[in-house]
């Protein structure tokens, strides 16, 4: 039996005495270890998906300075190599050393990045070594055995590739539109049908792309439901990316792994037809490109307060936003920024389009809205050469625009992305209770994982009883402080990640910084309780 106090300590919510008294003793709860175990399992599956080998038969020996290629099956000095990933930047190397006559042998490992390790053996044995590369991409690892007594060396090499990916911005481009036939189909997606989106090898995206940043928009749904995005060739996950009701046009940003065949699949989990749009703004590859730096959410535009632009943005107009040099974003070297963009008080239906300065507005959308609706969406947008982006109001009527910056990509440095199969980390409907009004649920997702700098999460609120907004931010308290009761209530930042009204189910992508403690807060800034669902799609890891 689990007491209410233990449940509270585990899930990151301290109830009032009345609330605690009303909780059953066996109230199910998500323990901190449960979420961590899910993260570890998902990351382990992602990094171990490839094994790089070079068998002992490939060993090249030299004796007395003269090259002597070994015959196949020789029992002379040799080494067989097998390597697999341990993290976005790390690998584990197994070297099966085969010696002759029990003489001492020096083992030199050249990691291919200017670093090396040396071991000593006196008999045949399996040596396991771990290494972390500063940069993702391919590296040639060379192992040399030296039998100094007999003046013989044996060398074998294997090309390895760390599992992490780096980001390359892409000009906003539509890859799928079932209304017009872009992407292959000109018909709505049928109930529980699947739309396949060609990513690798399409629109300049390399065939070996590991993940893609897509803005997925639902148009004209005939009934309520949700869309799930996942890599082609894998089992459909139980997570969701875009939730909708009949007749609603709603977007959501996704960062989804790309299948081995270069496709991403979108399943329509509803009982009615639905049209789908998918716009790309960037992609990830296992090669040197842009690394990510997470920031605590910070507001850089609020047209209601005259911040970044003055007054409501007129219909069919655009305005520039200086993103570099603001809110922790560097002045130079920035290739793209991660934002949360909110529309509020629009006088008519329409959409916003974000794009780099110096370009024409593309035929894509980032935030779709109806009259008087408040709606937010996560956006990754390339930065123009002057450090600016443009925001265009595609509606015929004015609207207020709010922009919060949550991170940025740079050509040098930053964390590498490790895409994982979608994994549910938290569901208050099943594991605890709704997040109270003006309160927060804290989850120690990166406790004991200092290299995990940010998580790509899909946060969803459901069973909402009133209007409000969700703010996701790093917590200054540690997991140990919460366990010991020595914690203080943090202050939420002046930012929002998603907005809702009574009875709505609303998702949004969040690139959540783990801060300095690894604890992440999910603030209910409404005046009524709401249920919270958190799904993980990937993690940014430093070296």
């Amino acid at each position: 039996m689990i007491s209410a106090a233990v449940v509270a300590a585990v899930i990151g919510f301290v109830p009032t005495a009345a609330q605690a008294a009303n909780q059953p003793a066996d109230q199910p709860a998500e323990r901190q270890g449960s979420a961590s175990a899910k993260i570890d399992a998902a990351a382990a599956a992602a990094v171990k998906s490839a094994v790089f080998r070079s068998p002992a038969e490939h060993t090249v020996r030299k004796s007395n300075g003269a090259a002597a290629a070994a015959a196949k099956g020789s029992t002379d000095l040799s080494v067989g190599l097998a390597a697999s990933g341990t993290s976005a930047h790390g690998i584990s190397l197994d070297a099966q050393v085969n010696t002759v006559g029990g003489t001492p042998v020096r083992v030199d490992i050249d990691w291919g990045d200017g670093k090396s390790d040396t071991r000593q053996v006196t008999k045949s044995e399996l040596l396991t070594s771990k290494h972390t590369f500063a940069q993702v991409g391919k590296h040639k690892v060379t192992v040399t055995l030296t039998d100094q007594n007999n003046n013989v060396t044996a060398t074998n090499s294997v090309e390895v590739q760390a599992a992490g990916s780096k980001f390359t911005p892409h000009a906003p481009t539509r890859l799928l539109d079932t209304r017009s036939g872009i992407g292959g189909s000109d018909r709505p997606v049928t109930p529980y049908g699947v739309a396949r989106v060609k990513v690798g090898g399409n629109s300049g995206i390399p065939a070996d792309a590991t993940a893609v940043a897509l803005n997925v928009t639902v148009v004209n749904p005939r009934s309520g439901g949700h869309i799930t995005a996942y890599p082609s060739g894998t089992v459909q996950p139980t997570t969701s990316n875009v939730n909708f009701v009949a007749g609603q046009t709603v977007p959501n940003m996704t960062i989804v792994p790309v299948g081995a065949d270069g496709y991403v699949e979108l399943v329509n989990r509803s009982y009615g037809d639905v049209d789908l749009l998918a716009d790309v703004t960037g992609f990830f590859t296992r090669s040197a490109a842009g690394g990510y730096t997470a920031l605590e959410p910070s507001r850089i535009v609020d047209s209601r307060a005259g911040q970044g632009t003055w007054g409501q943005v007129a219909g069919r107009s655009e305005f520039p936003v200086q993103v570099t040099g603001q809110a922790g974003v560097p002045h130079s070297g920035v290739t793209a920024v991660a934002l949360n963009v909110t529309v509020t008080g629009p006088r008519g239906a329409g959409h916003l389009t974000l794009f780099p300065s110096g370009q024409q507005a593309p035929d894509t959308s980032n935030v779709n809205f109806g009259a008087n609706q408040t709606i937010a969406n996560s956006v990754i947008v390339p930065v123009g050469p002057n450090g600016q982006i443009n925001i265009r109001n595609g509606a015929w009527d004015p609207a207020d625009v709010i922009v919060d910056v949550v991170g940025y990509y740079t050509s040098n440095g930053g964390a590498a992305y490790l895409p994982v199969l979608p994994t549910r980390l938290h569901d208050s409907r099943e594991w605890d209770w709704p997040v109270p009004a003006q309160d927060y649920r804290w989850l120690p997702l990166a406790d004991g994982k200092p290299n995990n700098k940010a998580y790509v999460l899909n946060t969803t609120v459901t069973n909402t009883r009133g209007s409000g907004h969700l703010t996701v931010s790093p917590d200054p308290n540690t997991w140990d402080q919460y366990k010991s009761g020595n914690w203080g209530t943090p202050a939420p930042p002046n930012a929002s990640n998603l907005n809702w009204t009574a009875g709505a189910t609303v998702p949004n992508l969040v690139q959540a910084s783990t801060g300095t403690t690894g604890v992440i807060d999910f603030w209910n800034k409404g005046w009524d309780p709401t249920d919270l669902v958190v799904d993980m799609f990937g993690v940014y890891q430093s070296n």
Side-chain angles (χ1 to χ4, degrees), residues 444-485:
L445 299 183
D447 180 64
K449 304 177 181 68
N451 290 343
N452 289 7
K453 298 302 182 184
Y455 291 106
V456 174
L457 307 173
N458 204 65
T459 54
T460 303
V461 294
T462 189
N463 299 326
T464 54
R465 304 177 192 178
S467 298
H469 68 269
L470 185 79
T471 296
V472 182
S473 60
D475 191 322
N477 298 294
T478 66
W479 167 232
D480 285 339
Q481 285 178 294
Y482 277 111
K483 287 190 293 184
S484 66

Side-chain angles (χ1 to χ4, degrees), residues 32 43 69 94 103 139 167 208 214 293 333 380 394 413 435 458 482 502 514:
Q32 182 266 350
D94 286 338
T103 59
H139 302 272
F167 181 76
D208 61 350
L214 286 178
T293 300
I380 297 175
V435 184
N458 204 65
Y482 277 111
T514 59

Side-chain angles (χ1 to χ4, degrees), residues 272-476:
D273 293 350
V274 63
D275 277 308
L276 291 177
L277 318 179
D279 302 325
V280 61
T281 59
F283 56 87
F284 295 82
T285 55
R286 288 178 178 171
S287 56
Y292 183 67
T293 300
L295 298 171
E296 185 164 342
S298 183
R299 186 148 292 174
I300 59 173
V301 173
D302 188 342
S303 62
R304 302 168 303 177
Q307 182 182 5
T309 187
W310 288 97
Q312 286 198 314
V313 181
R316 315 299 289 181
S317 72
E318 62 188 58
F319 67 96
V321 178
Q322 183 70 39
V323 291
T324 59
Q326 288 205 78
V329 181
H331 289 277
S332 61
V334 178
T335 58
V337 287
L339 309 170
N340 202 73
V341 181
T342 304
V343 173
T344 189
R347 301 184 190 179
H351 65 272
L352 293 185
T353 298
L354 282 77
F355 57 101
S357 63
Q359 299 182 14
Q360 295 294 318
D363 185 24
T364 59
S365 62
N366 296 98
V367 187
N368 297 70
F369 51 86
N372 301 313
Q373 184 181 22
T374 297
I375 187 169
N377 197 19
S378 183
V379 178
I380 297 175
V381 58
V383 175
N386 60 355
Q388 294 183 347
I389 62 170
N390 291 329
I391 301 178
R392 176 173 173 77
N393 178 10
W396 292 102
D397 300 288
D400 277 307
V401 176
I402 303 166
V403 178
D404 301 318
V405 62
V406 299
Y408 61 90
Y409 297 88
T410 50
S411 53
N412 294 309
Y417 183 60
L418 185 65
V420 303
L421 290 178
T423 303
R424 180 144 294 175
L425 299 181
H426 183 81
D427 189 338
S428 65
R429 300 168 301 178
E430 298 181 10
W431 296 325
D432 41 67
W433 47 76
V435 184
Q438 298 296 310
D439 210 333
Y440 69 105
R441 179 70 35 84
W442 53 266
L443 297 175
L445 299 183
D447 180 64
K449 304 177 181 68
N451 290 343
N452 289 7
K453 298 302 182 184
Y455 291 106
V456 174
L457 307 173
N458 204 65
T459 54
T460 303
V461 294
T462 189
N463 299 326
T464 54
R465 304 177 192 178
S467 298
H469 68 269
L470 185 79
T471 296
V472 182
S473 60
D475 191 322

Side-chain angles (χ1 to χ4, degrees), residues 102-125:
T103 59
V105 172
R106 190 181 73 216
V107 183
D108 293 302
I109 305 173
D110 182 348
W111 295 105
D113 61 354
K115 296 182 180 179
S116 61
D117 290 320
T118 299
R119 309 276 290 273
Q120 297 283 342
V121 300
T122 57
K123 62 181 180 178
S124 296
E125 63 178 287

